[in-house]
Amino acid sequence: MTISTARATGLPAVRPYESYVYAYPHKTAYRPLPDRPALRELWAAEPKDALSLYLHIPFCEVRCGFCNLFTRIGAPEELTTRYLDALDRQAVAVRDALGDAAPVRFAAAAFGGGTPTFLTADELERLCDIAEKRMGADLLAVPLSVETSPSTATGDRLAVLAGRGTTRVSIGVQSFVDEEARAAVRPQRRAEVEAALGRIRDARIPVLNIDLIYGIDGQTERTWLTSLDAALAWRPEELYLYPLYVRPLTGLHRLGAAAGPEAEALEQAAWDEQRLRLYEVGRDHLLACGYEQVSMRMFRRADAPREAQDGPEDHACQTDGMIGLGCGARSYTAALHYSFDYAVDMREIRSIIDGFTATEDFSRAEVGRYVDAAEARRRHLLQSLLPAAGLPLADYRARFGTDPREDFPAELERFADRGWLDAQAPEGLLRLSPLGLAHSDALGPALFSPGVRAAMAAYERK
């Protein structure tokens, strides 16, 4: 069943691109925590033998027009030094809070942003030292993923990352067509991108991921295939294909803010059609070129070595905790997801970063959202259903003692009616159909609880 023919189901129309669900609950559902719980108490009863570690660097050399990440342009007056100082203080406090009564082990690590390679080579060494010497993560023994950009993927920085155990580098290219990059307010040239990819391959880091975006103004199937083939020439182990979003307070949103509501609705419908068409073109092209689909966005080269891509078998994002360091990072315990304040506007971000660098006491959670048993079920279903492999029902029953079809009958029935669930999946497996994978950005938000929806709607953008 193709994307286009599947819409004639008689069901109400659904926008295919509501939002990208990369975490649940979303940060816009977080609020200041009145009790400011101590981290030591939060983590006292938590399993700590398969944690993931995330270090956030909120700096970029430029801010792309589509970007709503927690990041600022540049770092004047030795701000990166002050930020790393604060990150070091936070790491000491967090590791102390984890205690030593039970084994503390990190099964995976990642440096994200922003752009971690905005830091100099020496500063990247210090970042790795914070992960290893303060937190106790063995970066040479666990998967370590690092994000970069064409202009910051320099030889000296990549040498540090390779030497400290990086197993995956993800580079945001978005488009190999210079005109499309400019339309996305991303100042870069293809020659610079190709040179950066060459340096990454020279560093011999096992996994290269290239991010591409579809739905850019002026993009056609021909230019989309041009970008796909340019990326494939480097035989990346992974490719992420992202639909373009224009989110509030971003550069592209400000550029298009003059359109009236009627014009905006017509443009949105046409844009949805364009993105769905380009998604289908990209998916089919990558499948034909020897890649397998891991999720709506992620494609993995079928012959790539699995040991360099897959994390430890004893780690699962649905159940294991995460430690986030940095003012844009979030941490997960079973009962509380917490972080620092969230913003998109540049002035607000600068203020939050300045506050973070001045903080001396990192022993308490400041902003977050408590996760009860019902929300834990929703999160498990979301994080298991959106990947193409699907949800083994036995895993859900083992954790919760119930069946997701009993806990979410209305939602799953709607998904089935729309053709989003794979009716041919093996017994005991709940899995999305190709049509369901294509509509992941509608399916995911449809599983949000009323409480989370209300909190997100009430969030005051800043």
Side-chain angles (χ1 to χ4, degrees):
M1 182 184 294
T2 66
I3 292 172
S4 55
T5 59
R7 294 187 198 123
T9 60
L11 294 169
V14 171
R15 282 195 54 209
Y17 299 105
E18 183 174 336
S19 68
Y20 171 27
V21 182
Y22 56 89
Y24 181 80
H26 190 268
K27 263 190 173 182
T28 53
Y30 291 13
R31 294 294 183 271
L33 299 167
D35 53 341
R36 296 181 64 243
L39 301 187
R40 182 176 290 276
E41 296 172 4
L42 288 175
W43 286 97
E46 294 288 316
K48 295 182 277 288
D49 59 343
L51 299 172
S52 58
L53 177 65
Y54 178 77
L55 276 66
H56 179 254
I57 302 300
F59 307 112
C60 290
E61 69 277 15
V62 295
R63 192 169 196 189
C64 304
F66 52 83
C67 179
N68 73 334
L69 297 178
F70 189 94
T71 187
R72 62 163 292 162
I73 300 171
E77 301 175 4
E78 298 185 352
L79 180 57
T80 55
T81 298
R82 289 186 281 117
Y83 185 83
L84 290 172
D85 289 344
L87 203 65
D88 192 283
R89 294 194 299 273
Q90 185 188 16
V92 170
V94 171
R95 182 60 188 85
D96 179 67
L98 293 177
D100 294 309
V104 176
R105 169 178 165 266
F106 291 97
F111 302 159
T115 308
T117 50
F118 179 90
L119 300 177
T120 66
D122 287 344
E123 289 171 332
L124 285 171
E125 290 277 18
R126 185 179 180 194
L127 187 69
C128 292
D129 284 344
I130 290 171
E132 289 191 331
K133 297 177 181 178
R134 299 301 193 207
M135 294 304 302
D138 186 350
L139 299 183
L140 293 175
V142 303
L144 170 60
S145 178
V146 182
E147 297 172 9
T148 191
S149 67
S151 65
T152 63
T154 59
D156 58 341
R157 292 175 169 104
L158 292 168
V160 169
L161 296 179
R164 299 300 293 261
T166 301
T167 56
R168 177 181 183 270
V169 166
S170 178
I171 182 169
V173 172
Q174 320 317 349
S175 178
F176 283 85
V177 179
D178 290 348
E179 293 81 6
E180 290 178 3
R182 286 196 295 271
V185 194
R186 184 179 178 85
Q188 68 183 26
R189 294 188 179 277
R190 178 170 176 175
E192 299 167 349
V193 172
E194 300 279 2
L197 289 168
R199 291 191 294 270
I200 293 171
R201 280 311 198 194
D202 287 344
R204 307 184 71 82
I205 292 171
V207 176
L208 165 64
N209 172 69
I210 298 176
D211 288 346
L212 297 175
I213 284 181
Y214 55 93
I216 299 171
D217 187 32
Q219 192 175 47
T220 66
E221 291 184 21
R222 180 183 60 80
T223 62
W224 178 225
L225 286 169
T226 295
S227 280
L228 289 166
D229 286 335
L232 289 170
W234 292 96
R235 300 199 73 238
E237 285 71 24
E238 296 176 6
L239 275 161
Y240 271 73
L241 309 185
Y242 287 95
L244 179 64
Y245 278 91
V246 177
R247 299 177 176 91
L249 303 180
T250 61
L252 287 178
H253 182 262
R254 288 191 293 271
L255 289 174
E262 292 185 7
E264 185 177 343
L266 290 173
E267 290 174 4
Q268 187 69 58
W271 193 28
D272 285 347
E273 290 286 343
Q274 179 205 20
R275 286 182 287 180
L276 281 169
R277 184 175 66 254
L278 294 178
Y279 162 81
E280 198 168 38
V281 167
R283 177 200 63 192
D284 293 349
H285 191 60
L286 293 187
L287 293 177
C289 290
Y291 284 73
E292 58 187 17
Q293 187 167 18
V294 179
S295 68
M296 172 188 168
R297 287 166 170 75
M298 181 183 174
F299 294 81
R300 180 165 54 192
R301 209 180 76 213
D303 64 345
R306 283 294 184 271
E307 62 271 14
Q309 293 178 281
D310 296 333
E313 293 183 359
D314 65 342
H315 175 76
C317 64
Q318 295 92 332
T319 56
D320 291 311
M322 183 166 85
I323 296 292
L325 301 180
C327 58
R330 65 185 84 199
S331 299
Y332 303 145
T333 70
L336 178 68
H337 294 188
Y338 62 93
S339 182
F340 294 89
D341 203 3
Y342 172 71
V344 175
D345 180 77
M346 190 62 68
R347 289 171 298 181
E348 295 285 347
I349 289 174
R350 286 197 294 262
S351 176
I352 294 170
I353 293 173
D354 289 343
F356 176 83
T357 62
T359 299
E360 295 293 336
D361 182 5
F362 287 101
S363 65
R364 295 181 175 274
E366 303 289 342
V367 178
R369 185 173 183 86
Y370 285 97
V371 178
D372 61 18
E375 293 289 18
R377 284 174 162 82
R378 287 186 182 273
R379 182 171 182 263
H380 190 106
L381 178 60
L382 266 170
Q383 292 188 309
S384 303
L385 192 56
L386 291 179
L391 168 62
L393 299 178
D395 290 355
Y396 188 97
R397 284 193 294 266
R399 182 179 180 191
F400 300 109
T402 56
D403 190 291
R405 295 167 297 191
E406 300 168 0
D407 294 340
F408 304 97
E411 293 93 334
L412 293 177
E413 183 177 354
R414 283 198 302 273
F415 299 162
D417 289 344
R418 292 187 179 278
W420 291 355
L421 299 182
D422 183 2
Q424 306 304 315
E427 182 70 24
L429 182 67
L430 191 62
R431 184 171 67 190
L432 296 185
S433 66
L435 184 66
L437 282 171
H439 287 77
S440 293
D441 285 8
L443 184 149
L447 285 172
F448 290 4
S449 71
V452 166
R453 284 186 173 275
M456 292 175 67
Y459 173 77
E460 185 176 344
R461 295 192 181 102
K462 57 184 178 181

